[in-house]
Amino acid sequence: MEFNLTEEQRMIKNVIRDFAEGEVESGADERDKTGEFPLEVFKKMAKLDLMGLPFPEEYGGAGADTISFAIVVEELSRVCASTGITYSAHISLGGAPINMFGTHEQKQKYLTPLARGEYLGAFGLTEPQAGSDAGGTRTIAVRDGDEWVLNGSKCYITNASYAKALALTAVTDKSKGTSGITAFIVPTDAKGFSVVADYEKMGLHASNTTQLFLEDVRVPHENILGVEGNGFKQFLAVLDGGRIGIGAMAVGIAQGAYEKALAYAKERVQFGQTLSKFQAIQFKLADMAMNIELARNMVYKAAWLKDQGRKFTKEAAMAKLFASEMCMRVCDQAIQIHGGNGYMREYKVERFFRDAKLLEIGEGTSEVLRMVISREIGCR
Amino acid sequence: MNIIVCLKQTFDTEEKIVLESGKISEDGVEFIINPYDEYAVEEAIKLRDEHGGEITVVTVGPERAESALRTALAMGADKAVIVDDQGLELDEYSVAKILAAVIKEREYDIILGGNMAVDNGSGQVGPRLAEELGIPQVTTITKLDIDGGKATIERDVEGDMEVIEVSLPVLVTAQQGLNEPRYPSLPGIMKAKKKPMERLTVDDLNIDGDVSAKTSVTETFLPPKKEAGRVLNGDIQDQVKELVALLRNEAKVI
Ligand SMILES: Cc1cc2nc3c(=O)[nH]c(=O)nc-3n(C[C@H](O)[C@H](O)[C@H](O)COP(=O)(O)OP(=O)(O)OC[C@H]3O[C@@H](n4cnc5c(N)ncnc54)[C@H](O)[C@@H]3O)c2cc1C
């Protein structure tokens, strides 16, 4: 057993915390109001070579481990969850599938510029008729000589307005069910491809959430990612890694909200004493601290298993499920501790609360994750 | 160009100081590179990138100080030397002696350090080291240009600026405003582990004379809690009289 971060992980944590507090935090409230995308932040992160963090050096990455990835996502989310999800999706949904299933040529062409931060990574799975039930994908791809012709649409796709290309799933053989789904790498400037970003969201306002429309989009056969018919299996594997990112986001948001609540409780005086002297408030803060610590340990464990090359499906599901649910409770209680002030934008915890809700929905809803865990522990 | 940077690991400037049986407690404290020394590291990297050469970062301190050196290596320094203080009581005199013993064995064109360390705030180690080595020193610098064997330096003199020309080798100490230290890049962090780290003890060094401290700490205490201020009222004449009386009798500062 070893509970210390390595020297590198510790340094990465220091750098990203300084960076988050120095370069990300100050604009977070304004971006929440205007919905402006944190493009400048990502240009600066690219300069620090953080945009390819876990990918091989050969493809412009830095070869860091998954724990370091979780640390970066946590620290960004602690000050700005929109920045956190953008980064998490870039790495774990955008870059990871190409890194895991791409050919050498595909990696050179798509992973290297992504890792250098020349564009943001995205992943197109969800459709209006296919959410939790991703097997219900309707987007179809029909072979025409050396090309495939794609038609259909995707919804709620993170980062696509800033992506030069993305992996998405389409049905290539309807008769085979989930084994008839294939992943394609599609350049976003392809003829017939459009990206629309006009959702009005509850939170994560500065994150880019889009609809994709494909009308007779042609891609060469070589743009198939991985194996024809394996698209479904591949994205399940991608989501396992993505859940570590969402878990880390939850830990970061909760940590940020908790720190604000603790500071407020020590300042605010009622009945002649600070809130932090009331046992009812102390217990709320104690529960927050406990839940955050437990969730962080589980996120690290899932990341560690992944780094060891071991199976981590169950642990990633547990980490994401526990972390996202505790994050909602922590943000709720952070507002409670702030009283009326907590309901106001000025005190920021309401932003954390709105941003946190997505974590119980994206990359597997809480219900779906309980199904995953049930399956992993042998229920049938 | 051979560049040496002397740095110290200090408490994070945001840490609260906690005293435990008369000593400053290090429990759970975050440590950083002394902010003034960080300017020195940044300036060294810029010099190296412009003129070529190699940067050696040196510290005297406990084992934990190695992580400050690693951070400097991650920022871009080339190699590091740590002299383990093995818990000895050292003061500015001792540290300057030890640093001199490390540095005189090496080739150098310029030595950079911080103007002072944010913990003890004495600002002595740099000047003492220059004296030990018998080289010129320029303190509190805010700009540095090197051309051949000559440095043109701007230094902060209590808010004014003085321009100095000096020949190399020289020791300079960095003042706020010299530059904006970079964040270590991720590849920098990943490479830092592979860069050489030389670990020495005081016994390994050929020190000229004795290193034991010439000063001693007799007491460590926190500044008294700030009391609420007092506002004087009434006639200006009376207020002035009252103020003078208070300064003399109560505050006892005049
Ligand atoms: C801000 C945001 C960003 C997103 N980013 C991306 C992205 O980048 N790429 C991408 O592909 N998708 C993305 N998504 C989509 C997200 O992954 C889906 O919304 C999510 O998987 C849920 O699917 P759904 O919305 O269709 O809900 P549904 O599947 O319709 O679920 C509705 C409810 O029914 C429950 N339910 C469904 N099936 C079952 C069952 N069998 N048993 C019990 N309960 C069930 C669900 O748990 C949920 O509570 C994003 C969504 C949002 C909001």
Side-chain angles (χ1 to χ4, degrees):
Chain A
M1 272 310 235
E2 167 65 274
F3 276 103
N4 285 321
L5 297 179
T6 65
E7 184 92 31
E8 278 110 80
Q9 291 160 351
R10 197 188 50 72
M11 264 197 263
I12 290 171
K13 189 172 172 104
N14 286 346
V15 170
I16 193 67
R17 171 156 295 202
D18 277 358
F19 180 82
E21 290 179 351
E23 315 280 348
V24 186
E25 187 169 24
S26 60
D29 286 336
E30 190 59 24
R31 290 191 298 266
D32 176 54
K33 252 186 229 165
T34 61
E36 190 195 330
F37 188 74
L39 203 56
E40 285 309 310
V41 167
F42 286 100
K43 282 188 186 153
K44 288 178 187 163
M45 287 185 67
K47 275 206 194 126
L48 298 176
D49 285 303
L50 284 164
M51 300 308 285
L53 182 132
F55 305 126
E57 286 171 42
E58 188 188 354
Y59 302 112
D65 58 12
T66 311
I67 293 178
S68 301
F69 161 69
I71 289 171
V72 173
V73 174
E74 177 186 336
E75 291 299 329
L76 292 173
S77 305
R78 175 175 161 268
V79 302
C80 175
S82 291
T83 303
I85 192 178
T86 305
Y87 183 76
S88 184
H90 167 78
I91 298 281
S92 69
L93 298 183
I98 302 173
N99 186 44
M100 283 195 276
F101 306 111
T103 61
H104 174 64
E105 288 72 26
Q106 286 172 336
K107 288 182 193 178
Q108 277 185 324
K109 193 162 171 193
Y110 301 106
L111 186 58
T112 302
L114 179 150
R116 294 210 177 113
E118 289 165 22
Y119 75 87
L120 287 171
F123 181 59
L125 176 64
T126 305
E127 299 185 2
Q129 309 304 328
S132 303
D133 178 16
T137 301
R138 303 267 174 96
T139 297
I140 57 163
V142 179
R143 185 140 191 188
D144 180 18
D146 268 352
E147 290 183 329
W148 289 84
V149 184
L150 286 85
N151 277 287
S153 69
K154 299 279 171 185
C155 63
Y156 306 143
I157 307 306
T158 303
N159 288 348
S161 303
Y162 299 91
K164 283 203 182 105
L166 78 164
L168 56 77
T169 49
V171 177
T172 44
D173 187 346
K174 218 172 169 176
S175 67
K176 289 193 181 145
T178 53
S179 299
I181 295 177
T182 301
F184 291 88
I185 301 176
V186 183
T188 49
D189 62 0
K191 193 163 169 278
F193 192 98
S194 51
V195 180
V196 177
D198 62 358
Y199 289 118
E200 294 183 30
K201 288 178 292 191
M202 172 182 184
L204 297 173
H205 289 159
S207 144
N208 173 248
T209 314
T210 67
Q211 299 181 72
L212 311 180
F213 298 100
L214 298 94
E215 275 175 63
D216 293 329
V217 173
R218 288 178 169 269
V219 296
H221 183 71
E222 69 196 30
N223 276 31
I224 285 187
L225 178 62
V227 177
E228 189 177 334
N230 272 9
F232 188 81
K233 260 196 250 154
Q234 289 171 14
F235 80 66
L236 286 184
V238 169
L239 287 182
D240 282 345
R243 285 170 189 156
I244 294 172
I246 300 286
M249 253 189 94
V251 173
I253 295 176
Q255 178 74 30
Y258 156 74
E259 285 173 18
K260 290 193 166 38
L262 179 61
Y264 187 83
K266 287 186 184 165
E267 291 275 317
R268 171 74 171 170
V269 175
Q270 287 289 278
F271 299 98
Q273 53 184 13
T274 58
L275 299 183
S276 60
K277 294 229 166 71
F278 299 117
Q279 195 180 51
I281 302 294
Q282 290 175 346
F283 282 12
K284 285 183 198 297
L285 289 161
D287 282 347
M288 288 179 178
M290 170 182 75
N291 278 298
I292 293 168
E293 187 75 22
L294 289 171
R296 185 182 290 116
N297 280 339
M298 196 63 209
V299 169
Y300 284 175
K301 180 173 179 190
W304 178 83
L305 285 169
K306 181 169 190 280
D307 288 333
Q308 301 299 310
R310 289 168 49 183
K311 194 162 161 24
F312 64 99
T313 301
K314 181 181 75 185
E315 287 77 6
M318 286 176 168
K320 193 265 193 190
L321 175 59
F322 182 78
S324 58
E325 294 192 346
M326 78 85 199
C327 180
M328 259 333 264
R329 288 196 304 275
V330 166
C331 292
D332 173 42
Q333 291 302 302
I335 294 178
Q336 196 66 21
I337 290 173
H338 280 75
N341 284 338
Y343 202 70
M344 303 298 150
R345 284 202 164 176
E346 190 190 338
Y347 287 82
K348 300 180 202 289
V349 281
E350 68 85 40
R351 162 162 64 88
F352 286 65
F353 181 76
R354 284 184 285 109
D355 289 349
K357 182 61 202 175
L358 170 80
L359 308 179
E360 295 182 325
I361 298 170
E363 301 195 38
T365 62
S366 292
E367 293 74 15
V368 166
L369 291 170
R370 286 191 165 82
M371 285 156 54
V372 171
I373 297 167
S374 305
R375 195 169 56 229
E376 290 292 320
I377 61 175
C379 294
R380 60 192 88 227
Chain B
M1 179 153 48
N2 290 308
I3 306 166
I4 292 178
V5 180
C6 305
L7 66 80
K8 181 177 188 181
Q9 190 183 46
T10 54
F11 272 43
D12 192 328
T13 44
E14 277 161 34
E15 292 291 347
K16 258 216 165 91
I17 306 289
V18 177
L19 289 184
E20 232 165 65
S21 45
K23 285 222 153 97
I24 296 170
S25 162
E26 293 192 355
D27 247 12
V29 165
E30 287 284 330
F31 289 93
I32 57 168
I33 298 180
N34 172 42
Y36 292 98
D37 302 347
E38 214 178 3
Y39 300 132
V41 175
E42 174 65 31
E43 200 63 18
I45 296 169
K46 285 184 167 164
L47 286 177
R48 195 258 334 262
D49 291 350
E50 193 185 334
H51 302 282
E54 199 176 58
I55 304 168
T56 308
V57 283
V58 188
T59 196
V60 179
E63 217 181 305
R64 62 162 161 74
E66 212 177 288
S67 70
L69 293 178
R70 285 278 176 223
T71 304
L73 294 174
M75 285 171 77
D78 299 291
K79 49 189 197 178
V81 181
I82 179 166
V83 183
D84 193 330
D85 66 11
Q86 295 164 303
L88 296 170
E89 291 289 336
L90 301 176
D91 65 1
E92 292 79 7
Y93 163 83
S94 343
V95 172
K97 281 269 180 203
I98 295 168
L99 287 173
V102 173
I103 292 169
K104 70 177 186 225
E105 307 284 324
R106 293 160 207 263
E107 290 189 10
Y108 57 89
D109 300 293
I110 184 163
I111 302 173
L112 298 105
N115 157 41
M116 62 173 184
V118 292
D119 47 10
N120 294 345
S122 75
Q124 288 194 26
V125 171
R128 281 180 179 275
L129 173 59
E131 286 299 307
E132 291 286 339
L133 295 171
I135 60 171
Q137 50 171 291
V138 184
T139 55
T140 61
I141 74 163
T142 54
K143 191 163 189 280
L144 173 64
D145 283 310
I146 290 184
D147 190 6
K150 192 185 78 185
T152 310
I153 297 173
E154 289 177 9
R155 66 183 293 259
D156 170 41
V157 273
E158 313 269 320
D160 263 330
M161 192 247 283
E162 185 180 16
V163 182
I164 287 178
E165 260 186 35
V166 60
S167 58
L168 302 184
V170 62
L171 180 145
V172 298
T173 69
Q175 171 68 308
Q176 192 172 6
L178 178 62
N179 53 42
E180 194 58 55
R182 70 194 63 198
Y183 295 108
S185 75
L186 186 56
I189 291 173
M190 305 301 287
K191 268 184 242 142
K193 195 166 64 181
K194 293 173 205 134
K195 291 182 178 175
M197 170 83 60
E198 201 179 327
R199 296 178 184 85
L200 302 172
T201 64
V202 175
D203 295 338
D204 296 328
L205 295 166
N206 180 11
I207 294 174
D208 170 18
D210 153 41
V211 294
S212 51
K214 299 287 183 211
T215 55
S216 63
V217 177
T218 51
E219 198 186 343
T220 305
F221 54 91
L222 293 170
K225 262 223 170 94
K226 232 184 172 169
E227 307 276 336
R230 225 164 100 191
V231 180
L232 304 178
N233 293 311
D235 231 36
I236 287 288
Q237 297 282 336
D238 296 340
Q239 280 191 43
V240 171
K241 273 187 204 142
E242 196 184 347
L243 179 64
V244 171
L246 285 172
L247 287 174
R248 183 161 289 149
N249 304 328
E250 204 163 288
K252 299 197 166 86
V253 292
I254 53 174

